[in-house]
Amino acid sequence: MSRRAILCLVVMAALFPVVLYGAYRALWSMNDDAVSWTGSNLDSRRRLEWFDAHFAASDSILVSWNGCTLDDARLDRFAESLESGRYAWLDRVVTGRQILEELTAPPYGRHRAEAIAQLRNVMIGPDGETTCAVVILTDAAKENGREVLRELRAVAQDDGGIDAESLHLAGHLVETATINSASLATLKRLSLPSTLLVLIVAWPFLRSLRLAILVLATASFCECAALALVHFGGSQMNGMLAVMPILVMVVFVSGAVHLINYYRDALPHLGAAEAPLHAVRVGWLPCTLSIGTTALGIGSLALSHVHPVRLFGIYASLSMLLVLASLLIVLPGSLVLTTRYEAARGRIPSKPGHGKFPSRFWEAVAIPISRYHGAFVIAWIAVTLAASAGLPRLHGSMHVSDFFSRDTRIFRDHLWLERNVGPLLPVEVVVVFSDPGSWPMLDRLQVVSQLEHAIRTTPLEVGTVSMAAFLPKPGDSATVRDTIGRTLFNRQIESRRNELISASQYLATEGGRELWRIHVRLPSLSGTRYEDAVAAIENTVRRATAALPKEEQLRFSVVYTGMLPLLADAHPALMRDLIVSFGSSFLMIAVTLAAGLRSWQLGILAMVPNLFPILTVFGLMGWIHPAMDPGTMMTASIGLGIAVDDTVHFLTWFRRGLADGLLPRTAVRNAFQHCGNAMVRTTLICGAGLAVYGVSSFAPAARFGILVSLLLAAALMGVLMFLPALLSGPLGRLVAGIRK
């Protein structure tokens, strides 16, 4: 076996350059488009794509700074410097002062106060003075958003004379680039501390520098291979895939601890030559079931309609299969090499050892649980039911604060811009005229203006802009002069219709239909639920439409699209994904355990204690913090998959005790003695390794790490208390009658 061990290590070393290259390319492919975090199957997603196809709305960045007013000379310098730089990613720059001057000059001729009111909460702040620049981007900007932002900030500081700390940016590209930076920072800053913490926790079981090096090398190979799968699979990295390497690490090391536990248990009885082989013979099934159930739990996320979550489910589950192969092929050989090294130096123990806890500790734990098993089961069920009452309060959430913590630069910029310039979340209200030729264009414009005016009267703080802002305002009195003026105005805009369609982003056609766009912005940090905000806009438009003459109501329809409706629809979609992925993983894991343990009773029994952490932790979330982001949604299935690991090993030792003729209560104590320390250690390994990611600047990754750690801690309590209590009662006697 030593030859095979050496061969495996040589093959792994030969493949290391390939997986390192793939991991490097995967990291450089990081491109976490913010829109990808919404469900791809949503009707609102399809409506947004329809909108983009017809209005060709370019991506843009809203730029402002402390003291950026209509009279600030830096505004012109900044715009001129950008446009003279001939950047490939820049289309044009529009400032609030430019738009104000256009609206107050002929042919529009608006009064300054009226024009400012028109632009308030869009290009001009609530104070009527603070303004901004809108940097409109080309498609080339998507290739490297971080470089675009770096150059943009450099122009603002060097040419515009704007202090870096006072500069505020917002926009789709800013969010995407920030997610990418936070994801890379998560990998760079937290991978090493997390790995070191895992090894420190695992050290009492490894107890050999040579074995620790081999385990670390194999785990590192699995981590790099997991990233390489992303590259060679033709996908791009995203924020959630950033936590995949440490997940691979903790699952491998946890599996190694359990396998080494079987090896240490056999070593004093069978000797150095036979112990590794015995560990594989005894441990391959529980290790396969443990990692296999983890793969199933993670793989169920592939059913999600959120693209980053789906990719995580696919690649992380494939990585679990790689972990299993490495664990069963490479680690036994490493044990052989380490055992021979220790035997040559007289370090092989002469009696079993199970870590630092003496046997009397686990005896003290097992005896009261076995004796008062009924009380433990009742108390456990009561706690679970009380906590799970908070489950109906859970709801999906895709707010800015769900992706970025309040101390990040992007969150502070959003907050400043919304307070000083205007709301940032867009809703596109598209008025669709089915037969535009049947009534004058001026009448269609007036309908759009009336709807826009109604939207401005909603209780929410909104900003709006439409084609009405960029056309002269005809008189609306019944005088002969105004009547003639409206007739001439209608002829003028009818003759310029094609020009307006090609030059404006507020008018388009689709077949024989005419599409008029009302751009609406609502606040993202006001605390209002996105669903309620969209409903308020829809109700306002509905009431304004009902006030129009019946014949006009039949001539148009309204489509609501934009980022805000998309995020609002994503909230219930997150909950659906949670239910579907968790339900699927529960069923698949239960069937797998029943088949692996060769008993449907044991398969069901193994799942019961692992429902406790899910129901309890998520139920408490419902009472404390009911908002669930995509990172939180993922944890239920993953937590279930990992939590089952300890249950499998406990049941394995329990059944071995029954096979040796022990009664159920004695078999429970036997299982505690043989795998209690390993279960505690593996939970600490997984929990500590993932909890480090709780300080990540990418909020979904941070919540993922913390919540999975809490789920594993709760799962350990379930396996150490609830499962033994069940096995000490009638269910244990039922299992004792199964001899397969």
Side-chain angles (χ1 to χ4, degrees), residues 54-58 91-92 94 99 102 108 136 441 466-467 470-471 493 495-509 515 517:
H54 287 87
F55 288 95
S58 302
D91 183 1
R92 64 189 185 279
V94 178
I99 300 298
E102 288 181 15
Y108 307 112
I136 301 173
M441 191 171 183
S466 70
M467 177 63 76
F470 302 98
L471 291 174
I493 59 175
S495 65
R496 294 181 54 205
R497 179 174 178 269
N498 292 335
E499 177 187 344
L500 293 173
I501 291 173
S502 61
S504 171
Q505 292 186 337
Y506 296 93
L507 183 62
T509 58
L515 316 177
R517 170 192 179 192

Side-chain angles (χ1 to χ4, degrees), residues 298-444:
I298 296 172
S300 67
L301 296 173
L303 300 174
S304 173
H305 295 100
V306 179
H307 184 65
V309 175
R310 183 168 63 250
L311 286 183
F312 183 92
I314 294 171
Y315 288 110
S317 60
L318 291 176
S319 300
M320 292 301 109
L321 301 180
L322 179 64
V323 166
L324 179 61
S326 301
L327 186 68
L328 296 180
I329 296 174
V330 179
L331 186 62
S334 302
L335 289 174
V336 171
L337 295 176
T338 303
T339 302
R340 291 190 174 184
Y341 178 81
E342 292 179 345
R345 286 157 177 77
R347 299 177 183 174
I348 299 299
S350 59
K351 59 181 180 179
H354 298 291
K356 294 184 177 180
F357 286 128
S359 60
R360 281 177 292 181
F361 173 84
W362 291 117
E363 193 78 10
V365 172
I367 289 176
I369 294 176
S370 298
R371 182 175 299 170
Y372 304 108
H373 60 86
F376 271 94
V377 170
I378 293 173
W380 218 254
I381 293 175
V383 170
T384 303
L385 291 177
S388 60
L391 290 174
R393 293 168 51 87
L394 291 173
H395 59 83
S397 181
M398 298 281 282
H399 286 69
V400 173
S401 57
D402 294 319
F403 287 84
F404 310 106
S405 61
R406 294 178 179 272
D407 59 349
T408 56
R409 176 67 181 270
I410 188 171
F411 186 91
R412 295 196 303 270
D413 284 353
H414 267 72
L415 189 61
W416 189 93
L417 288 168
E418 291 210 330
R419 287 176 176 174
N420 294 278
V421 177
L424 296 177
L425 270 181
V427 177
E428 305 294 348
V429 180
V430 182
V431 184
V432 182
F433 295 96
S434 56
D435 186 16
S438 63
W439 55 334
M441 191 171 183
L442 176 59
D443 292 347
R444 305 196 295 275

Side-chain angles (χ1 to χ4, degrees), residues 35-285:
V35 177
S36 67
W37 287 87
T38 59
S40 58
N41 69 324
L42 298 176
D43 290 338
S44 53
R45 179 75 172 268
R46 287 187 282 269
R47 288 197 298 270
L48 182 58
E49 293 170 354
W50 168 83
F51 171 83
D52 289 339
H54 287 87
F55 288 95
S58 302
D59 197 4
S60 62
I61 300 175
L62 190 69
V63 183
S64 190
W65 52 86
N66 299 346
C68 179
T69 63
L70 293 169
D71 299 325
D72 189 353
R74 294 175 294 178
L75 195 60
D76 290 336
R77 290 205 305 268
F78 171 70
E80 291 169 0
S81 297
L82 270 182
E83 292 185 330
S84 63
R86 298 182 180 179
Y87 297 101
W89 46 264
L90 178 65
D91 183 1
R92 64 189 185 279
V93 182
V94 178
T95 68
R97 181 156 59 202
Q98 290 174 351
I99 300 298
L100 180 63
E101 290 175 353
E102 288 181 15
L103 293 180
T104 55
Y108 307 112
R110 291 197 182 24
H111 294 294
R112 181 181 174 87
E114 181 185 359
I116 289 176
Q118 179 73 48
L119 297 176
R120 182 169 280 118
N121 288 335
V122 178
M123 296 288 289
I124 298 177
D127 60 2
E129 288 293 331
T130 303
T131 187
C132 63
V134 178
V135 180
I136 301 173
L137 307 171
T138 65
D139 290 338
K142 299 177 182 178
E143 298 175 3
N144 193 343
R146 284 171 289 174
E147 181 64 19
V148 170
L149 296 181
R150 188 193 65 79
E151 293 180 347
L152 187 62
R153 288 191 173 101
V155 170
Q157 295 172 51
D158 299 340
D159 300 334
I162 303 161
D163 180 65
E165 289 302 314
S166 69
L167 187 66
H168 307 288
L169 309 178
H172 177 75
L173 186 75
V174 179
E175 296 172 2
T176 298
T178 305
I179 292 176
N180 290 342
S181 298
S183 302
L184 286 174
T186 296
L187 280 169
K188 292 178 180 178
R189 298 174 186 173
L190 302 180
S191 293
L192 182 59
S194 182
T195 300
L196 291 176
L197 187 57
V198 166
L199 291 177
I200 290 171
V201 176
W203 178 255
F205 263 82
L206 300 178
R207 289 185 291 173
S208 164
L209 180 60
R210 176 172 292 199
L211 183 58
I213 292 173
L214 291 172
V215 168
L216 176 61
T218 308
S220 300
F221 175 83
C222 293
E223 285 185 294
C224 294
L227 293 174
L229 283 175
V230 178
H231 169 67
F232 293 119
S235 300
Q236 291 181 313
M237 285 288 292
N238 60 60
M240 289 318 306
L241 285 174
V243 302
M244 182 174 66
I246 190 57
L247 185 64
V248 169
M249 162 70 77
V250 298
V251 171
F252 178 84
V253 176
S254 298
V257 166
H258 275 297
L259 197 60
I260 292 170
N261 187 48
Y262 289 104
Y263 158 76
R264 300 283 187 198
D265 187 76
L267 188 59
H269 306 293
L270 301 179
E274 293 296 326
L277 292 174
H278 177 80
V280 174
R281 284 197 297 268
V282 175
W284 77 267
L285 179 59

Side-chain angles (χ1 to χ4, degrees), residues 15-29:
L15 290 175
F16 235 126
V18 178
V19 298
L20 281 175
Y21 169 79
Y24 173 80
R25 296 295 299 174
L27 292 176
W28 273 102
S29 73

Side-chain angles (χ1 to χ4, degrees), residues 565-585:
L566 179 58
L567 294 176
D569 283 357
H571 291 173
L574 281 179
M575 297 305 299
R576 289 196 298 270
D577 281 354
L578 170 65
I579 295 170
V580 170
S581 64
F582 178 75
S584 302
S585 63

